């Protein structure tokens, strides 16, 4: 049986690549359209070049490989060339000369087939064979992605059920995980991201940024949108998994993307738990960080565990609103502020938060210490404050922190 017919008789991608690598006696790698590794093999393990090894280790192109391919026009060729073409050696990224062809299905690029050139290059007949079997490989990738999509839809439904409060007990949640075939993380935290100004398109794009950042290969993470909030479930297999660091990294990428789109986000990260039934609890904590950020006039910690008194600000704010309470001192200071800039209110809040010290307050406000001193004197002339009284100082700080944005 000819190699072409043998390949067409196999419906397992790994088996096809194993056969090709064996018959061609050279490394073969298959990636999907997003440059994520799907299958690989080599007739001799030592034939894998450094770029191959990096891709196998990271499961995706590294940043230097991606940037080099962009600059060299390789990415553009991948998307536009239908026939196999040669990518010359690039020693700076450890790449030997390769032949590459897109794997298509029904006119759509599903991925790419990379074959490393050896001392004896592929013949014209070999290139024709590679082109002919690329469509079969394209169909196999399509089948893999279709199956993956069905599972992703199940995972999405499972996590939506969690955040909608469908599972009332831990037993219900375990049953749901088994029903939808979802692997639950042993340790996790939930991050939440909200756009300052609502924009459904940007929010959807932020979801893609988060998914790309996490790569979602170990199935321990999940990203979903509920209402106007993007939730990111960050999982780990061990108690010492770097979940908080991962959350900070993903959220920073989200912030960078939003900034490029002239948008801004608020974000928070709930506590780390080991009981899956606490997923919703961690998500609500992340939302509390966002809510506290709306009330305060200074940057807050990203993590709920570091909120301290700020976690109660919403409750205090709501109670003040219910009873119509407004601090007399805050009202008088607001009236002193020229043009409603609230500079005196901000200065006093930062002054209290920095233990009534001029220099740290000035540094936090990016003003000269004399400016802070002048503003505090203005306040003292208008309002009789005894900042040596701990209770008065604490009450004033709460009043300032819960005065809202209005």
């Amino acid at each position: 049986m000819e190699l072409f017919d043998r390949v067409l008789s196999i419906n397992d991608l790994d088996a096809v690549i194993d056969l090709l690598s064996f018959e061609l006696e050279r490394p073969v790698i298959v990636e999907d359209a997003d440059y994520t590794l799907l299958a690989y093999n080599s007739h001799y393990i030592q034939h894998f070049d450094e770029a191959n090894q990096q891709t196998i280790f990271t499961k995706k192109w590294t940043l230097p490989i991606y940037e080099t391919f962009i600059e060299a026009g390789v990415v553009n060729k991948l998307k536009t060339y239908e026939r196999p073409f040669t990518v010359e050696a690039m020693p700076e990224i450890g790449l030997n000369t390769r032949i590459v062809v897109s794997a298509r299905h029904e006119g759509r690029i599903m991925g790419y087939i990379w074959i490393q050139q050896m001392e004896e290059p592929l013949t014209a007949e070999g290139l024709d064979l590679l082109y002919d079997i690329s469509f079969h490989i394209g169909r196999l990738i399509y089948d893999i992605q279709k199956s993956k999509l069905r599972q992703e839809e199940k995972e999405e439904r499972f996590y939506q059920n969690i955040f909608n409060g469908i599972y009332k007990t831990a037993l219900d949640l375990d049953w749901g995980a088994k029903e939808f075939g979802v692997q639950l993380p042993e340790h996790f935290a939930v991050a939440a991201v909200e756009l300052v100004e609502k924009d459904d398109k940007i929010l959807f794009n932020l979801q893609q940024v988060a998914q790309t950042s996490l790569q979602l290969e170990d199935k321990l993470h999940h990203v979903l949108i509920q209402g106007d909030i993007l939730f990111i479930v960050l999982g780990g297999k061990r108690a010492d998994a770097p979940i908080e660091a991962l959350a900070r990294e993903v959220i920073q990428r989200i912030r960078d993307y939003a900034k490029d789109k002239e948008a801004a986000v608020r974000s928070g990260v709930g506590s780390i738990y080991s009981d899956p039934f606490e997923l919703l609890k961690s998500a609500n904590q992340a939302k509390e960080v966002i809510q506290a950020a709306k009330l305060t006039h200074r940057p807050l910690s990203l993590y709920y565990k570091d909120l301290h008194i700020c976690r109660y600000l919403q409750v205090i704010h709501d109670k003040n609103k219910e009873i119509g309470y407004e601090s007399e001192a805050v009202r008088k200071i607001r009236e002193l502020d020229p043009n409603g800039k609230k500079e005196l209110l901000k200065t006093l809040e930062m002054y209290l938060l920095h233990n009534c010290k001029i220099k740290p307050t000035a540094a936090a406000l990016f003003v000269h210490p004399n400016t802070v001193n002048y503003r505090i004197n203005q306040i003292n002339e208008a309002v009789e404050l005894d900042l040596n009284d701990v209770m008065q100082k604490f009450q004033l700080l709460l009043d300032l922190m819960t005065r809202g944005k209005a």
Side-chain angles (χ1 to χ4, degrees), residues 139-154:
R139 184 185 67 78
L140 295 181
I141 298 174
Y142 171 78
D143 290 342
I144 290 170
Q145 292 187 345
K146 187 167 64 172
S147 175
K148 181 181 177 183
L149 181 60
R150 284 197 295 265
Q151 182 55 35
E152 287 176 352
E153 289 172 349
K154 289 181 180 179

Side-chain angles (χ1 to χ4, degrees), residues 191-211:
V193 177
E194 180 184 67
L195 284 162
V196 173
E197 294 185 11
K198 182 179 176 181
D199 188 312
D200 290 341
K201 183 178 179 180
I202 292 180
L203 186 63
F204 174 78
N205 290 340
L206 295 183
Q207 183 182 25
Q208 307 307 305
V209 171
Q211 288 173 332

Side-chain angles (χ1 to χ4, degrees), residues 14-248:
D14 288 316
V16 168
I17 301 312
D18 290 350
L19 175 61
L20 276 180
S21 179
F22 179 79
E23 292 292 340
L24 299 177
E25 297 187 1
R26 60 197 70 211
V28 179
I29 282 186
V30 175
E31 300 164 343
D32 68 14
D34 294 322
Y35 320 118
T36 298
L37 183 67
L38 294 177
Y40 64 93
N41 204 333
S42 176
H43 190 65
Y44 297 108
I45 192 69
Q46 65 269 24
H47 285 170
F48 280 126
D49 62 23
E50 185 181 338
N52 279 148
Q53 295 170 29
Q54 291 176 15
T55 302
I56 291 169
F57 179 73
T58 61
K59 307 298 183 186
K60 200 176 181 76
W61 287 2
T62 63
L63 185 59
I65 291 175
Y66 180 77
E67 290 177 341
T68 303
F69 280 178
I70 285 282
E71 187 176 345
V74 174
V75 171
N76 183 58
K77 287 183 179 179
L78 287 173
K79 296 180 182 300
T80 56
Y81 282 34
E82 185 174 343
R83 299 284 305 184
F85 65 91
T86 301
V87 177
E88 298 296 342
M90 299 179 182
E92 65 273 25
I93 57 171
L95 185 89
N96 293 343
T97 302
R98 298 187 190 180
I99 300 294
V100 61
V101 64
S102 59
R104 299 170 183 259
H105 179 67
E106 296 182 352
R108 177 184 167 198
I109 296 177
M110 304 306 303
Y112 307 101
I113 308 161
W114 298 81
I115 297 184
Q116 191 168 301
Q117 286 283 48
M118 306 304 290
E119 291 184 6
E120 288 193 18
L122 282 179
T123 63
E125 292 79 6
L127 293 175
D128 288 339
L129 170 68
L130 179 59
Y131 175 72
D132 291 339
I133 65 175
S134 69
F135 296 95
H136 179 63
I137 292 176
R139 184 185 67 78
L140 295 181
I141 298 174
Y142 171 78
D143 290 342
I144 290 170
Q145 292 187 345
K146 187 167 64 172
S147 175
K148 181 181 177 183
L149 181 60
R150 284 197 295 265
Q151 182 55 35
E152 287 176 352
E153 289 172 349
K154 289 181 180 179
E155 290 176 8
E156 176 71 10
R157 185 174 172 187
F158 170 71
Y159 279 101
Q160 288 287 354
N161 284 349
I162 291 178
F163 287 99
N164 286 325
I166 299 298
Y167 304 121
K168 303 301 182 185
T169 67
L171 190 63
D172 289 342
L173 190 143
D174 287 340
W175 180 86
K178 291 176 182 176
E179 178 189 17
F180 291 109
V182 176
Q183 178 187 356
L184 291 169
E186 294 179 24
H187 303 275
F188 65 88
V190 179
V193 177
E194 180 184 67
L195 284 162
V196 173
E197 294 185 11
K198 182 179 176 181
D199 188 312
D200 290 341
K201 183 178 179 180
I202 292 180
L203 186 63
F204 174 78
N205 290 340
L206 295 183
Q207 183 182 25
Q208 307 307 305
V209 171
Q211 288 173 332
T212 301
S213 299
L214 293 168
Q215 296 189 6
L216 306 181
E217 285 149 352
D218 56 11
K219 301 299 181 184
L220 296 178
H221 313 302
H222 192 78
V223 185
L224 70 154
I225 293 173
Q226 270 234 327
D228 297 330
I229 296 181
L230 175 69
F231 288 106
I232 308 166
V233 179
L234 301 141
K237 295 180 180 179
R238 305 185 315 274
D240 62 346
I243 293 174
E244 289 186 353
L246 180 60
R248 181 175 293 279

Side-chain angles (χ1 to χ4, degrees), residues 226-282:
Q226 270 234 327
D228 297 330
I229 296 181
L230 175 69
F231 288 106
I232 308 166
V233 179
L234 301 141
K237 295 180 180 179
R238 305 185 315 274
D240 62 346
I243 293 174
E244 289 186 353
L246 180 60
R248 181 175 293 279
E249 178 184 335
V250 174
I251 287 174
Q252 186 57 53
R253 291 182 181 180
I254 286 173
R255 287 173 175 166
D256 291 344
Y257 177 87
K259 185 178 180 181
D260 287 343
K261 300 299 179 182
E262 299 183 345
V265 299
R266 301 185 187 96
S267 52
V269 181
S271 298
I272 298 174
Y273 293 99
S274 57
D275 181 356
F277 198 60
E278 305 287 7
L279 272 163
L280 186 55
K281 183 176 181 180
S282 186

